[in-house]
Amino acid sequence: MEEVTNKTVEQKSNKNVKPNMILRLAAALIDICSIFLLSLGAYSLFGKTSLGASVTKYNEEIVTIQDSYKLQTLVEGSTETIGYKIYENEEGYANATGLVHTDDVGNYKVVNNSTISDALKNAYSAALKKDVSYQNASFNYRLCDFGVMSLAISIAEIILLFAIPMTNKRRATIGKLLAGTQLITYKIEGPAKWYQLLGRFFFVLIIETLLPYLFVSTLALIIAPVIALVISLINKKGRTLRDLITGTMIIDKRSYAPLIEPKESE
């Protein structure tokens, strides 16, 4: 009996082991880049829809209001402004960025001054905060932009995190396929189930992508994978939070060996 137990322990220690961290990091980077590029393409396509047109519309409203305040003297007793007009017949007009406006003289763009006082910056910010039209346009822009971004990311992630893994026995994303890793159930009875892949997809989409983007910023889309990596480092099985919730585990494909008996939970 003791001999059988020793063999079982030895089998467990040599099989279904977590992958080298460098390979895992490479897989994550490939997947992140793939999701980013596919999301960018989908975002561009959705930009041509009515929802995308609304994003452009509200963004132009925001810039127009900002430009109007940049041309006002916002500090009492000063003639300095945040920006100035550069007309289409002036040198450098073609290289200037921003919306084209029109007045009695002609078409112009608003160009920011290179150096302005802190007092003027504060006055400019305060004026925008008091402008109801600016606040409404900003809210509508963020709402529509979040809608387009959500659709684009959802399409990218369901293809890369669910559809592709469902087409191969390793249940692996593009990154995992190239890095030589695979996804299995934590019970180590075989490849991850379809509902586990679906759970991982929803976890990544909602918890690691949309909520951080909505409440923090685009930077959160980079921070979330880093946090997941840190969790896997402190977990002796290399499992991330999404693994713990969906009952999955990433292993080196060369060590894959399904066990007949379910693995006892630790």
Side-chain angles (χ1 to χ4, degrees):
M1 181 67 179
E2 183 178 355
E3 182 179 355
V4 173
T5 303
N6 290 337
K7 287 183 178 180
T8 302
V9 172
E10 182 179 358
Q11 182 188 33
K12 289 182 178 181
S13 63
N14 295 329
K15 303 299 182 181
N16 300 309
V17 297
K18 64 180 181 180
N20 180 286
M21 187 50 62
I22 294 179
L23 290 178
R24 186 160 190 171
L25 181 60
L29 289 175
I30 293 172
D31 286 337
I32 290 172
C33 291
S34 300
I35 291 173
F36 173 78
L37 292 175
L38 189 55
S39 297
L40 191 62
Y43 187 89
S44 298
L45 291 176
F46 283 120
K48 300 176 182 179
T49 64
S50 58
L51 186 59
S54 296
V55 174
T56 302
K57 171 191 172 185
Y58 290 123
N59 182 62
E60 290 180 350
E61 286 186 17
I62 291 171
V63 175
T64 299
I65 296 171
Q66 289 175 334
D67 286 349
S68 68
Y69 280 109
K70 287 178 181 179
L71 297 175
Q72 297 176 18
T73 302
L74 299 174
V75 177
E76 185 178 355
S78 171
T79 59
E80 182 186 29
T81 55
I82 295 287
Y84 62 92
K85 296 179 180 179
I86 178 171
Y87 287 94
E88 59 182 344
N89 58 344
E90 295 182 22
E91 183 178 356
Y93 174 85
N95 296 325
T97 59
L99 291 182
V100 177
H101 306 287
T102 305
D103 62 7
D104 295 337
V105 178
N107 294 330
Y108 68 90
K109 297 179 181 178
V110 177
V111 182
N112 293 343
N113 282 317
S114 57
T115 58
I116 55 177
S117 65
D118 291 337
L120 191 56
K121 290 180 182 178
N122 295 335
Y124 170 72
S125 298
L128 286 177
K129 289 180 181 179
K130 294 179 181 179
D131 192 299
V132 177
S133 297
Y134 177 79
Q135 297 303 322
N136 290 337
S138 297
F139 175 80
N140 290 330
Y141 169 79
R142 288 194 297 269
L143 184 63
C144 293
D145 181 66
F146 181 73
V148 175
M149 180 65 73
S150 298
L151 289 173
I153 292 177
S154 296
I155 290 176
E157 292 189 348
I158 200 167
I159 291 174
L160 297 172
L161 301 183
F162 181 74
I164 290 179
M166 282 297 297
T167 62
N168 62 84
K169 293 182 179 180
R170 285 163 52 189
R171 296 293 186 258
T173 60
I174 294 176
K176 292 181 178 65
L177 287 171
L178 295 176
T181 62
Q182 86 178 68
L183 186 71
I184 63 173
T185 64
Y186 185 56
K187 298 291 185 181
I188 313 182
E189 297 173 331
K193 308 297 183 182
W194 69 267
Y195 52 82
Q196 291 176 310
L197 291 175
L198 192 61
R200 288 171 66 87
F201 156 70
F202 278 116
F203 182 88
V204 174
L205 177 66
I206 298 173
I207 304 300
E208 295 187 7
T209 306
L210 296 183
L211 289 181
Y213 177 76
L214 178 62
F215 292 107
V216 185
S217 67
T218 307
L219 182 62
L221 301 181
I222 301 175
I223 296 176
V226 173
I227 294 176
L229 182 62
V230 171
I231 293 176
S232 69
L233 287 174
I234 62 178
N235 185 287
K236 66 178 182 179
K237 293 295 184 181
R239 303 176 73 199
T240 62
L241 186 56
R242 75 185 76 152
D243 289 318
L244 295 171
I245 291 176
T246 59
T248 56
M249 176 180 175
I250 297 175
I251 64 168
D252 188 321
K253 72 170 186 177
R254 295 169 298 182
S255 70
Y256 176 59
L259 301 180
I260 298 176
E261 294 296 328
K263 184 179 177 66
E264 295 181 0
S265 59
E266 297 180 358

